[in-house]
Amino acid sequence: DWNGALAMGRACLATAERLGDRHALVNLLWNLARPLLGAGDPEEAVRTMAAAAACWVREVRPLDDDDRAERDALRADAEAILGKERV
């Protein structure tokens, strides 16, 4: 259930923010992108993944092959919904 996953992710994000846990915030942003897409908000999913990827690189480490594959798969799924020109 994408809406349930999205609600849980947002609740965890609020908790991580309240605790000031930057690593958890970045990880949660990354993991909110797919539920956003699944819940019908592909534009927000792409924006969230882009922000998460930028924060991950700044706060944690460069994206590895698996990270790039996950990012690119989400983008491709969003392009299939919105069209390439809107992503």
Side-chain angles (χ1 to χ4, degrees), residues 2-87:
W2 290 118
N3 288 316
L6 190 54
M8 181 61 70
R10 286 179 170 155
C12 291
L13 191 63
T15 299
E17 184 177 21
R18 194 170 45 254
L19 295 173
D21 187 340
R22 294 169 60 120
H23 188 268
L25 285 168
V26 173
N27 199 26
L28 286 160
L29 279 176
W30 184 277
N31 287 303
L32 276 176
R34 184 58 63 179
L36 282 163
L37 184 69
D41 198 348
E43 291 163 329
E44 188 63 21
V46 169
R47 283 191 297 271
T48 299
M49 179 59 80
C55 290
W56 187 263
V57 168
R58 188 179 66 244
E59 299 288 331
V60 182
R61 61 169 169 71
L63 299 178
D64 63 21
D65 290 342
D66 290 338
D67 298 332
R68 285 189 293 277
E70 186 175 346
R71 178 201 58 199
D72 295 348
L74 181 114
R75 186 176 184 88
D77 290 347
E79 284 178 2
I81 296 166
L82 297 169
K84 191 170 189 141
E85 65 285 347
R86 290 185 58 199
V87 174

